[in-house]
Amino acid sequence: MAVPDYVPTPVDDIPTIRAELGAAFRAGTTKPIANRREQLLALAYLLKDNIDRFKEALASDLGRPALETDVLEVGGTLHEIKDAYDSVARWARPQRAPFALNYAAMRPTIRKEPKGVVLIIVPFNYPLLLTLEPLAGAIAAGCAAVVKPSELTPAFSALLADLVPQYLDPALYRVVNGAVPETTKLLEQPWDHILFTGSARVARIVLAAAARTLSPVTTELGGKSPVIVDASCDLRTTARRLVWGKTANAGQTCVAPDYVLVPRAFQDKLVQACIDVLKEFYPDGAAESDSYSRIVSPGHHARLSALLEKSGGTTAYGGGKRAEDKFIEPTIVTGVGLDDSLMSEELFGPVLPIIAVEDINEAIQIVNARDHPLALYVFTQDSRVKKQVLDGTQSGGAVVNDCLLQVTADGLPFGGIGPSGSGSHTGKYSFDMFTHTRSTLDNPSWLDLVMGGRFPPFTDKSTRMMRALLVPSLPARKSKSAANRWGSYWVMLSLACAAAAYGAKLIAERKQ
Ligand code: NAD
């Protein structure tokens, strides 16, 4: 079946769409769990019935091999939607607060309520996963939603705009297509939550706009995710997993390994192992392979080509480029300095700079001198190195001896820290992102017999009573003299042990 035409949403329609969703949300139809499950099932079938059309659209947008779309997007997305369908009743159940004597009679309860009408802004690189997974979270939370896919994936975005009204309730879930003018108009509206996934540059624009409407925002951004390779690693496994992480979707993955830090003495072995793997992955070259994606747009192709041309490093493998079909060959560059063009921004392409370091300590220093990354990878068989790297750095997520898998692993939140994003999603975390945890109390009249002292006029008796009720007693402070006393006990105990040992030695010597 043909992919429909990409048609941007008329900018003037956007305030009306927002208002219509607000009215539909207030009518309360999103709230019953049965309705949420019905829409989640419809969302699952939207994907399942159209898997081949989505693969076709992504092949058109990203030159993406069908198997890569299956592995990287379809399976995980369907799994997430099904999990929300199975779990929503449990997730949405009100939660009793932990028991506290003073408040127990008021039945303190956390109600899990939908935030309202939410906006999901999506980047180009994994449009299926990054649209439908958060949308499942929004539906499960009981929200109405607008999704705004990327203009850089027109085939996908057009297909989505065609399918959503066929499967989902159009009064509650809408697709707005377009680029800067349409997103700008969307951001002029107030939202009960915005999930923005994309670049740090655009995140600044989104956050500034959201500040004007006081719309809460989760940002899922990117950055340069480092890989630390230790000489103790399983070399072949390391090379296969690292090269796969870098070449999947032609490196256009937010958690792709961006650059490698490797001890100087081990560098050549690692580079050769990666070259061997590239030759196995693409025996006739990546340009001829139907297992290799293309760069999304001429602009990104030109950006990557310029970074490669300006680099002061040495191309150890690859370097081929072809503007006509936006092809960039998997490329390994050695001798890269920290001030090289390849270290100046998130690469978001199949180029792997290798930076030689003295040791793991220097690698950790380099990571810590830069923005906290979205992901950090360490390849080693040495448990001390694993601990040293994990304890000594900060990042959104971290994986030992593999790449990318943290995004799809069940039960793990996915998100950045600092400049790589704030907040997290996937699974229950997406439900939580779009849910307001509303604190409630239900206070019976008789409790004023105990708590009546809060009302004026205040007397000595009521002050004493309220203090007894509300001010907790603290454990006794450990005084300095007490600490000294314990110190003396330890000294005396040690002396006694030493004397006993000496006595035992004397007795033993006399016996001989
Ligand atoms: P982008 O920031 O250019 O675009 C993201 C969205 O913002 C698109 O829908 C686009 O239409 C919109 N947009 C672009 N310019 C805008 C403007 N001036 N005003 C308002 N809206 C605007 O990102 P991209 O190039 O599509 O995606 C790549 C980036 O996304 C990378 O930095 C990558 O690391 C990041 N990313 C992060 C995650 C994550 O989960 N953390 C996932 C995928 C991608």
Side-chain angles (χ1 to χ4, degrees):
M1 210 183 287
V3 172
D5 288 340
Y6 178 78
V7 183
T9 305
V11 169
D12 291 344
D13 290 359
I14 288 172
T16 314
I17 292 172
R18 171 64 184 85
E20 284 171 0
L21 290 190
F25 174 75
R26 282 190 296 280
T29 47
T30 59
K31 287 190 181 174
I33 298 296
N35 293 4
R36 302 187 202 186
R37 282 166 60 90
E38 188 187 313
Q39 292 297 305
L40 284 166
L41 197 59
L43 185 67
Y45 276 104
L46 181 158
L47 174 52
K48 191 147 191 280
D49 293 346
N50 297 285
I51 288 177
D52 288 339
R53 296 183 78 194
F54 278 116
K55 285 185 193 168
E56 204 183 306
L58 291 169
S60 155
D61 289 332
L62 289 154
R64 167 100 71 70
L67 185 132
E68 215 163 65
T69 296
D70 269 332
V71 172
L72 299 174
E73 300 213 67
V74 174
T77 307
L78 264 177
H79 184 77
E80 291 274 343
I81 301 170
K82 176 149 189 315
D83 184 31
Y85 174 84
D86 289 338
S87 313
V88 58
R90 183 165 42 86
W91 291 346
R93 209 173 284 151
Q95 195 183 322
R96 293 301 292 266
F99 179 80
L101 187 60
N102 288 348
Y103 292 94
M106 302 179 204
R107 283 174 288 169
T109 303
I110 303 161
R111 287 168 59 99
K112 309 286 183 66
E113 298 196 347
K115 283 190 176 172
V117 185
V118 303
L119 171 64
I120 298 167
I121 303 178
V122 186
F124 74 79
N125 61 332
Y126 290 104
L128 187 60
L129 177 73
L130 296 172
T131 303
L132 300 194
E133 185 280 323
L135 182 56
I139 296 172
C143 292
V146 166
V147 292
K148 209 302 282 176
S150 172
E151 68 282 13
L152 296 181
T153 50
F156 167 83
S157 303
L159 180 58
L160 191 74
D162 189 45
L163 294 176
V164 163
Q166 293 177 39
Y167 282 81
L168 300 183
D169 182 346
L172 296 169
Y173 309 107
R174 302 282 278 270
V175 176
V176 166
N177 265 331
V180 177
E182 294 77 9
T183 320
T184 305
K185 196 61 167 179
L186 282 168
L187 291 170
E188 284 169 12
Q189 319 304 312
W191 299 93
D192 298 304
H193 200 95
I194 299 172
L195 168 63
F196 171 77
T197 307
S199 63
R201 180 186 70 78
V202 179
R204 289 188 177 90
I205 297 169
V206 171
L207 288 166
R212 285 194 282 277
T213 56
L214 289 182
S215 302
V217 186
T218 296
T219 53
E220 293 285 347
L221 312 178
K224 290 183 84 64
S225 296
V227 183
I228 298 177
V229 179
D230 176 47
S232 73
C233 71
D234 172 342
L235 183 58
R236 180 161 162 74
T237 306
T238 300
R240 277 170 74 82
R241 294 178 181 180
L242 174 58
V243 168
W244 172 70
K246 190 65 179 176
T247 53
N249 206 26
Q252 300 162 110
T253 304
C254 55
V255 286
D258 190 283
Y259 63 99
V260 174
L261 299 162
V262 57
R264 190 162 280 110
F266 192 61
Q267 176 179 222
D268 290 350
K269 275 191 184 159
L270 176 69
V271 170
Q272 190 52 54
C274 290
I275 292 172
D276 293 345
V277 166
L278 279 166
K279 287 179 179 163
E280 279 173 33
F281 281 8
Y282 311 110
D284 301 319
E288 304 311 317
S289 170
D290 50 14
S291 302
Y292 187 65
S293 297
R294 294 295 183 264
I295 301 303
V296 70
S297 66
H300 278 290
H301 188 272
R303 175 185 66 81
L304 275 164
S305 303
L307 289 175
L308 269 173
E309 269 149 35
K310 279 189 226 144
S311 171
T314 306
T315 303
Y317 183 87
K321 311 181 219 67
R322 203 167 53 202
E324 308 89 87
D325 64 346
K326 296 170 282 173
F327 167 76
I328 299 235
E329 191 177 8
T331 300
I332 299 177
V333 184
T334 56
V336 173
L338 291 174
D339 54 356
D340 193 87
S341 58
L342 296 179
M343 293 301 289
S344 63
E345 61 181 63
E346 178 183 10
L347 290 173
F348 224 58
V351 178
L352 189 63
I354 310 278
I355 297 175
V357 293
E358 281 316 305
D359 52 21
I360 299 298
N361 288 329
E362 191 189 349
I364 290 174
Q365 275 169 23
I366 291 172
V367 170
N368 288 340
R370 310 177 73 92
D371 286 346
H372 298 324
L374 185 58
L376 180 143
Y377 304 107
V378 54
F379 286 88
T380 178
Q381 298 296 318
D382 185 336
S383 53
R384 282 166 308 177
V385 174
K386 292 178 194 174
K387 185 168 164 32
Q388 187 188 359
V389 172
L390 294 183
D391 288 353
T393 56
Q394 286 177 281
S395 63
V399 180
V400 179
N401 290 324
D402 215 323
C403 296
L404 313 191
L405 300 183
Q406 73 275 31
V407 181
T408 48
D410 285 344
L412 291 182
F414 175 55
I417 171 170
S420 55
S422 70
S424 56
H425 69 119
T426 66
K428 165 87 162 45
Y429 298 96
S430 297
F431 170 88
D432 289 344
M433 170 172 60
F434 295 127
T435 294
H436 174 56
T437 44
R438 189 176 185 194
S439 299
T440 62
L441 296 173
D442 181 356
N443 199 357
S445 308
W446 62 262
L447 214 63
D448 279 359
L449 295 174
V450 189
M451 299 282 282
R454 67 188 153 136
F455 301 122
F458 304 129
T459 62
D460 285 351
K461 190 177 162 211
S462 65
T463 306
R464 275 198 307 277
M465 190 176 141
M466 291 313 290
R467 190 175 295 155
L469 261 180
L470 297 175
V471 179
S473 60
L474 299 178
R477 203 193 311 258
K478 198 168 147 189
S479 71
K480 215 171 168 194
S481 56
N484 287 345
R485 214 165 37 240
W486 276 108
S488 325
Y489 288 153
W490 279 113
V491 172
M492 281 162 63
L493 193 63
S494 311
L495 285 174
C497 289
Y502 186 62
K505 188 171 166 248
L506 284 181
I507 291 167
E509 280 170 359
R510 277 210 196 124
K511 276 188 183 162
Q512 280 172 2

